[in-house]
Amino acid sequence: ATDQMSNLPNEILLQIFGYFCLHCQDEYNQSWDSRPLRHKPHRTRQRGDLKSWYSLDRNTLYSASLVSRRLRDIAQSVLYHEFALGHGDSWVSRLYTWQGRLASFMRCLTQRPDLAHSVRVCYVSTSLF
């Protein structure tokens, strides 16, 4: 499967990886006077005893970035499009560690200016506090 995936054009891979990005799914609202992300309800409501749907999407992109250098470059560019801790009802999950995520994200951006240029949305839900 990896060999077949490596033969796909970058544009197709970007579309596939975009499925796991709120920004690419057009949940980004460009209006300055409203919330930066519109919540589209997912199939089921987030339960506290299940992994956060947001973390599952992030983990998918992270895993893709470990496959090869080519997939890493594409997946990481999408992975860093947005940072949206607690978006929607994902904050309900008790299985996702929210602490330190923002600091880790910011540290990565200072070390990787190429990824900093990819960021389109940074959002932290007040529900986490």
Side-chain angles (χ1 to χ4, degrees):
T2 303
D3 288 338
Q4 293 173 345
M5 189 172 226
S6 64
N7 291 330
L8 292 173
N10 289 356
E11 295 78 16
I12 300 296
L13 290 171
L14 279 169
Q15 287 183 345
I16 292 169
F17 294 153
Y19 178 77
F20 302 100
C21 172
L22 297 172
H23 169 264
C24 293
Q25 293 175 32
D26 197 32
E27 290 196 31
Y28 178 61
N29 183 347
Q30 296 182 11
S31 172
W32 291 101
D33 60 347
S34 62
R35 294 176 62 183
L37 294 168
R38 293 185 299 259
H39 176 57
K40 294 180 183 176
H42 288 73
R43 291 175 203 90
T44 58
R45 295 189 58 94
Q46 177 70 58
R47 291 181 17 198
D49 62 333
L50 296 177
K51 290 184 178 182
S52 157
W53 58 263
Y54 181 75
S55 71
L56 293 174
D57 287 351
R58 305 284 86 203
N59 193 51
T60 300
L61 289 169
Y62 174 74
S63 296
S65 73
L66 298 176
V67 173
S68 69
R69 285 185 179 170
R70 179 172 173 248
L71 290 182
R72 178 198 64 203
D73 293 343
I74 298 167
Q76 282 185 345
S77 73
V78 175
L79 179 63
Y80 285 86
H81 272 178
E82 39 91 359
F83 180 81
L85 284 184
H87 176 62
D89 61 358
S90 67
W91 63 270
V92 172
S93 174
R94 293 184 303 273
L95 298 179
Y96 187 64
T97 305
W98 305 104
Q99 293 79 15
R101 299 286 175 162
L102 181 59
S104 176
F105 178 74
M106 298 304 287
R107 186 171 37 255
C108 181
L109 295 182
T110 59
Q111 295 170 352
R112 296 279 310 274
D114 58 312
L115 293 178
H117 291 291
S118 297
V119 177
R120 302 293 179 259
V121 177
C122 188
Y123 170 84
V124 177
S125 173
T126 57
S127 300
L128 295 175
F129 304 105

